[in-house]
Amino acid sequence: MDNAVTLANPNQLAAPAGFGARLAALPAKSKASLGLGIAALIAVLAAITLWSSQGDYKVLYANLSEKDGGAIIAQLSQMNVPYRYSDGGGAILVPAAQVHDLRLKLASAGLPKGSIVGFELMDGAKFGQTQFQERLTFQRGLEGELTRSITAMSAVQNARVHLALPNQNGFFREQQKPSASVMLTLHPGRTLDRAQIAGIVHLVSSSVPEMNPKAVSVLDQTGTLLSASTDGNNGAGLDAQQLQYVNQIEAGYNKRILDILEPVIGRDNLRAQVTADVDFSQVESTAEEFKPNQGENAQASVRSQQSSEQMGQSGSGATGIPGAASNQPPVPATAPVTGAAQPLQTAQNGQGTQTNSRKEAVTNYEVDKTVRVTRNATGTVKRLNAAVVVNHRSVTDAKGKTTTVPLTPEEIEKLNVLVRESIGFKQERGDSVKVINAPFRIEKIEPDSTPLWKQPQTLDMLRAAAVPASLVLVAMVIVFGLIRPALKAALPQPVSPADARGSTLDAVVDDAESLPRVGHEADARLPQLEAPRMSPTLIAARAYAKENPGAVASIVRGWVSGEAA
């Protein structure tokens, strides 16, 4: 009986055992679903790869003109390089791994050319150009170079420079001086301080011969004159540094008030503001005073002394008409008894002489002299105004209920004294301090009742994860719906002993119906499965039943009666 179920010819009836052979033996429908699933899975994986690589873009060039941008895009299209625009269209983005390579290649092609031209205009000088054209080309090149230098500053987005270079002529007695105007376009949220504006002014004035820094005007995109604050004579308002100095003074006084009152009142029960009137005017005076020597014992100092002595002689010769009267000898000297003394006359060589003498002495004495130069300090505080608001006091009763009560006048006066002492109050300077008591209004912060799925960050996260999540879901559907069933059908199915017995019964009956497996009550409740038509065991059993029907009948009779095989 054991040999009754042995296959008649196993070598001839065995099915292909390899995976490739089993895959080839699948029906055309299973093969088509398997191929379609593999192709769809490859497409989904490619889409996921492309989507993940979209964010790996970096800026190739930014702030390009329309002409340069079009030339660069045309060159990238010829090079088959993918590119994108930024949100504002101000930059061209390319894959991060090709940024430096593309910059070198575009530079070799002369891109970007740039809308600002400098002294390279002089390289293309044509033969036969006039002097006016040469001067104009030089002026354009100088304006372009200055524009490039100014736009190199981090706060400047764009700039335009206009130079007024008059024609110098040696026949003119008074030559007109050059001047310049600079128009700046600043980045949003950026400003230029006083030192940077002065740097731009001196950059332009130093680049043009005989240009005075006062002849350079700097404006921003709103039309505000920025160079006026660099002259030092602008009395319309304070410059940036002076405003900063005033803010520092006010912040310092405000901090003093908070530091002295917060430990007494509380951190959130106080608000203070200080306004400082600062004098930035510069006044310089010079006084020179002369005073005589004071005191009884004061000794005069000789500053200079000068003396002179003069002596002279004069003789009286013959006078009158030559003749006997004028040729007489001189009369002897006589001295009058009364009256002024006559000049002494002596006779020498038969002639009379007259001697004159004169002495002068001049003495200059030092006088007390005082020279006083007074220069007032800049940035002195002329007046202080302080305003302080104090919240009501919180009081908790025995039942735990908290209420607010105003401060007493004595307490407010004490706070007023503390504020005055903290800021250095001076009555003669005109300072004023005001401390008032008022209840603070506390606004309740309403909690955000927006559902989680409606919050902006959640929506952004869902938008960002929608594409990859959908691609992964499609891939899972393809794998479990198309590829997995086809592969499962191609894999060999394990056969248990009970399945083997049931297959033998099906083979013996040789019909399309399936019989329940004997000895398995749980399997009887399951739907009946049709035996595989291409199974080697089924083919061998059918062949054996046709050749030995008596032996098969005996086997079935023994199974039905329950006898041992």
PDB file of all heavy atoms in Angstrom, residues 113-125 137 140-142 144-145 148:
ATOM      1  N   LYS A 113      28.751  91.158 -17.932  1.00  0.00           N
ATOM      2  CA  LYS A 113      29.470  92.351 -18.366  1.00  0.00           C
ATOM      3  C   LYS A 113      29.286  93.507 -17.398  1.00  0.00           C
ATOM      4  O   LYS A 113      30.170  94.322 -17.245  1.00  0.00           O
ATOM      5  CB  LYS A 113      28.995  92.758 -19.771  1.00  0.00           C
ATOM      6  CG  LYS A 113      29.318  91.721 -20.830  1.00  0.00           C
ATOM      7  CD  LYS A 113      28.839  92.183 -22.194  1.00  0.00           C
ATOM      8  CE  LYS A 113      29.174  91.151 -23.266  1.00  0.00           C
ATOM      9  NZ  LYS A 113      28.699  91.575 -24.602  1.00  0.00           N
ATOM     10  N   GLY A 114      28.124  93.596 -16.776  1.00  0.00           N
ATOM     11  CA  GLY A 114      27.879  94.658 -15.810  1.00  0.00           C
ATOM     12  C   GLY A 114      27.392  95.923 -16.505  1.00  0.00           C
ATOM     13  O   GLY A 114      27.894  96.322 -17.553  1.00  0.00           O
ATOM     14  N   SER A 115      26.411  96.561 -15.867  1.00  0.00           N
ATOM     15  CA  SER A 115      25.884  97.802 -16.432  1.00  0.00           C
ATOM     16  C   SER A 115      26.745  99.007 -16.082  1.00  0.00           C
ATOM     17  O   SER A 115      26.588 100.068 -16.668  1.00  0.00           O
ATOM     18  CB  SER A 115      24.455  98.033 -15.919  1.00  0.00           C
ATOM     19  OG  SER A 115      24.442  98.075 -14.495  1.00  0.00           O
ATOM     20  N   ILE A 116      27.652  98.852 -15.113  1.00  0.00           N
ATOM     21  CA  ILE A 116      28.542  99.937 -14.706  1.00  0.00           C
ATOM     22  C   ILE A 116      29.876  99.753 -15.413  1.00  0.00           C
ATOM     23  O   ILE A 116      30.508  98.710 -15.295  1.00  0.00           O
ATOM     24  CB  ILE A 116      28.742  99.945 -13.179  1.00  0.00           C
ATOM     25  CG1 ILE A 116      27.391 100.076 -12.470  1.00  0.00           C
ATOM     26  CG2 ILE A 116      29.680 101.058 -12.757  1.00  0.00           C
ATOM     27  CD1 ILE A 116      27.481  99.963 -10.972  1.00  0.00           C
ATOM     28  N   VAL A 117      30.272 100.738 -16.147  1.00  0.00           N
ATOM     29  CA  VAL A 117      31.529 100.682 -16.890  1.00  0.00           C
ATOM     30  C   VAL A 117      32.483 101.680 -16.277  1.00  0.00           C
ATOM     31  O   VAL A 117      32.091 102.741 -15.796  1.00  0.00           O
ATOM     32  CB  VAL A 117      31.309 100.975 -18.384  1.00  0.00           C
ATOM     33  CG1 VAL A 117      30.523  99.868 -19.044  1.00  0.00           C
ATOM     34  CG2 VAL A 117      30.602 102.311 -18.576  1.00  0.00           C
ATOM     35  N   GLY A 118      33.769 101.324 -16.267  1.00  0.00           N
ATOM     36  CA  GLY A 118      34.787 102.186 -15.698  1.00  0.00           C
ATOM     37  C   GLY A 118      35.785 102.617 -16.745  1.00  0.00           C
ATOM     38  O   GLY A 118      35.436 102.968 -17.881  1.00  0.00           O
ATOM     39  N   PHE A 119      37.054 102.562 -16.351  1.00  0.00           N
ATOM     40  CA  PHE A 119      38.103 103.013 -17.253  1.00  0.00           C
ATOM     41  C   PHE A 119      38.331 102.069 -18.433  1.00  0.00           C
ATOM     42  O   PHE A 119      39.172 102.353 -19.283  1.00  0.00           O
ATOM     43  CB  PHE A 119      39.411 103.183 -16.480  1.00  0.00           C
ATOM     44  CG  PHE A 119      39.455 104.441 -15.659  1.00  0.00           C
ATOM     45  CD1 PHE A 119      39.872 104.395 -14.348  1.00  0.00           C
ATOM     46  CD2 PHE A 119      39.058 105.658 -16.179  1.00  0.00           C
ATOM     47  CE1 PHE A 119      39.920 105.545 -13.572  1.00  0.00           C
ATOM     48  CE2 PHE A 119      39.087 106.811 -15.430  1.00  0.00           C
ATOM     49  CZ  PHE A 119      39.519 106.753 -14.115  1.00  0.00           C
ATOM     50  N   GLU A 120      37.578 100.943 -18.476  1.00  0.00           N
ATOM     51  CA  GLU A 120      37.709 100.096 -19.662  1.00  0.00           C
ATOM     52  C   GLU A 120      37.142 100.782 -20.901  1.00  0.00           C
ATOM     53  O   GLU A 120      37.368 100.301 -22.025  1.00  0.00           O
ATOM     54  CB  GLU A 120      37.015  98.749 -19.444  1.00  0.00           C
ATOM     55  CG  GLU A 120      35.532  98.832 -19.143  1.00  0.00           C
ATOM     56  CD  GLU A 120      35.269  98.889 -17.647  1.00  0.00           C
ATOM     57  OE1 GLU A 120      36.224  99.167 -16.893  1.00  0.00           O
ATOM     58  OE2 GLU A 120      34.126  98.660 -17.253  1.00  0.00           O
ATOM     59  N   LEU A 121      36.396 101.872 -20.724  1.00  0.00           N
ATOM     60  CA  LEU A 121      35.951 102.637 -21.885  1.00  0.00           C
ATOM     61  C   LEU A 121      37.124 103.230 -22.648  1.00  0.00           C
ATOM     62  O   LEU A 121      37.036 103.452 -23.867  1.00  0.00           O
ATOM     63  CB  LEU A 121      35.016 103.764 -21.437  1.00  0.00           C
ATOM     64  CG  LEU A 121      33.611 103.348 -20.960  1.00  0.00           C
ATOM     65  CD1 LEU A 121      32.881 104.556 -20.404  1.00  0.00           C
ATOM     66  CD2 LEU A 121      32.827 102.732 -22.102  1.00  0.00           C
ATOM     67  N   MET A 122      38.223 103.506 -21.930  1.00  0.00           N
ATOM     68  CA  MET A 122      39.378 104.086 -22.593  1.00  0.00           C
ATOM     69  C   MET A 122      40.087 103.080 -23.492  1.00  0.00           C
ATOM     70  O   MET A 122      40.862 103.468 -24.365  1.00  0.00           O
ATOM     71  CB  MET A 122      40.357 104.628 -21.551  1.00  0.00           C
ATOM     72  CG  MET A 122      39.746 105.606 -20.546  1.00  0.00           C
ATOM     73  SD  MET A 122      39.151 107.134 -21.296  1.00  0.00           S
ATOM     74  CE  MET A 122      40.690 107.844 -21.849  1.00  0.00           C
ATOM     75  N   ASP A 123      39.825 101.773 -23.265  1.00  0.00           N
ATOM     76  CA  ASP A 123      40.489 100.759 -24.089  1.00  0.00           C
ATOM     77  C   ASP A 123      39.966 100.744 -25.521  1.00  0.00           C
ATOM     78  O   ASP A 123      40.685 100.376 -26.440  1.00  0.00           O
ATOM     79  CB  ASP A 123      40.309  99.367 -23.457  1.00  0.00           C
ATOM     80  CG  ASP A 123      40.938  99.295 -22.070  1.00  0.00           C
ATOM     81  OD1 ASP A 123      41.865 100.098 -21.810  1.00  0.00           O
ATOM     82  OD2 ASP A 123      40.510  98.443 -21.268  1.00  0.00           O
ATOM     83  N   GLY A 124      38.711 101.118 -25.683  1.00  0.00           N
ATOM     84  CA  GLY A 124      38.124 101.096 -27.026  1.00  0.00           C
ATOM     85  C   GLY A 124      38.113 102.460 -27.691  1.00  0.00           C
ATOM     86  O   GLY A 124      37.156 102.771 -28.421  1.00  0.00           O
ATOM     87  N   ALA A 125      39.132 103.252 -27.443  1.00  0.00           N
ATOM     88  CA  ALA A 125      39.186 104.585 -28.056  1.00  0.00           C
ATOM     89  C   ALA A 125      39.355 104.453 -29.573  1.00  0.00           C
ATOM     90  O   ALA A 125      40.188 103.673 -30.063  1.00  0.00           O
ATOM     91  CB  ALA A 125      40.335 105.382 -27.458  1.00  0.00           C
ATOM     92  N   THR A 137      34.519 110.615 -22.383  1.00  0.00           N
ATOM     93  CA  THR A 137      34.807 109.210 -22.075  1.00  0.00           C
ATOM     94  C   THR A 137      35.552 109.079 -20.753  1.00  0.00           C
ATOM     95  O   THR A 137      35.266 108.185 -19.939  1.00  0.00           O
ATOM     96  CB  THR A 137      35.623 108.588 -23.214  1.00  0.00           C
ATOM     97  OG1 THR A 137      34.903 108.735 -24.440  1.00  0.00           O
ATOM     98  CG2 THR A 137      35.881 107.118 -22.953  1.00  0.00           C
ATOM     99  N   ARG A 140      33.009 109.631 -17.918  1.00  0.00           N
ATOM    100  CA  ARG A 140      32.165 108.448 -17.720  1.00  0.00           C
ATOM    101  C   ARG A 140      32.923 107.331 -17.026  1.00  0.00           C
ATOM    102  O   ARG A 140      32.389 106.651 -16.131  1.00  0.00           O
ATOM    103  CB  ARG A 140      31.625 107.954 -19.060  1.00  0.00           C
ATOM    104  CG  ARG A 140      30.589 108.839 -19.707  1.00  0.00           C
ATOM    105  CD  ARG A 140      30.094 108.212 -20.998  1.00  0.00           C
ATOM    106  NE  ARG A 140      29.569 106.879 -20.771  1.00  0.00           N
ATOM    107  CZ  ARG A 140      29.346 105.988 -21.725  1.00  0.00           C
ATOM    108  NH1 ARG A 140      29.623 106.295 -22.996  1.00  0.00           N
ATOM    109  NH2 ARG A 140      28.862 104.804 -21.434  1.00  0.00           N
ATOM    110  N   GLY A 141      34.176 107.127 -17.415  1.00  0.00           N
ATOM    111  CA  GLY A 141      34.975 106.099 -16.751  1.00  0.00           C
ATOM    112  C   GLY A 141      35.221 106.418 -15.284  1.00  0.00           C
ATOM    113  O   GLY A 141      35.151 105.528 -14.418  1.00  0.00           O
ATOM    114  N   LEU A 142      35.488 107.691 -14.982  1.00  0.00           N
ATOM    115  CA  LEU A 142      35.707 108.080 -13.592  1.00  0.00           C
ATOM    116  C   LEU A 142      34.430 107.925 -12.770  1.00  0.00           C
ATOM    117  O   LEU A 142      34.473 107.463 -11.610  1.00  0.00           O
ATOM    118  CB  LEU A 142      36.214 109.521 -13.542  1.00  0.00           C
ATOM    119  CG  LEU A 142      36.588 110.074 -12.157  1.00  0.00           C
ATOM    120  CD1 LEU A 142      37.659 109.218 -11.506  1.00  0.00           C
ATOM    121  CD2 LEU A 142      37.055 111.523 -12.282  1.00  0.00           C
ATOM    122  N   GLY A 144      32.067 105.742 -13.345  1.00  0.00           N
ATOM    123  CA  GLY A 144      31.867 104.306 -13.146  1.00  0.00           C
ATOM    124  C   GLY A 144      32.772 103.741 -12.068  1.00  0.00           C
ATOM    125  O   GLY A 144      32.339 102.914 -11.241  1.00  0.00           O
ATOM    126  N   GLU A 145      34.026 104.158 -12.027  1.00  0.00           N
ATOM    127  CA  GLU A 145      34.939 103.667 -10.997  1.00  0.00           C
ATOM    128  C   GLU A 145      34.501 104.123  -9.606  1.00  0.00           C
ATOM    129  O   GLU A 145      34.574 103.354  -8.638  1.00  0.00           O
ATOM    130  CB  GLU A 145      36.366 104.154 -11.292  1.00  0.00           C
ATOM    131  CG  GLU A 145      36.968 103.583 -12.570  1.00  0.00           C
ATOM    132  CD  GLU A 145      37.185 102.087 -12.482  1.00  0.00           C
ATOM    133  OE1 GLU A 145      37.344 101.577 -11.356  1.00  0.00           O
ATOM    134  OE2 GLU A 145      37.194 101.415 -13.535  1.00  0.00           O
ATOM    135  N   ARG A 148      31.543 101.967  -8.549  1.00  0.00           N
ATOM    136  CA  ARG A 148      31.960 100.642  -8.090  1.00  0.00           C
ATOM    137  C   ARG A 148      32.531 100.690  -6.685  1.00  0.00           C
ATOM    138  O   ARG A 148      32.285  99.803  -5.854  1.00  0.00           O
ATOM    139  CB  ARG A 148      32.996 100.072  -9.055  1.00  0.00           C
ATOM    140  CG  ARG A 148      32.438  99.686 -10.422  1.00  0.00           C
ATOM    141  CD  ARG A 148      33.560  99.250 -11.344  1.00  0.00           C
ATOM    142  NE  ARG A 148      33.046  98.834 -12.653  1.00  0.00           N
ATOM    143  CZ  ARG A 148      33.830  98.494 -13.683  1.00  0.00           C
ATOM    144  NH1 ARG A 148      35.153  98.549 -13.560  1.00  0.00           N
ATOM    145  NH2 ARG A 148      33.287  98.126 -14.823  1.00  0.00           N
TER     146      ARG A 148
END
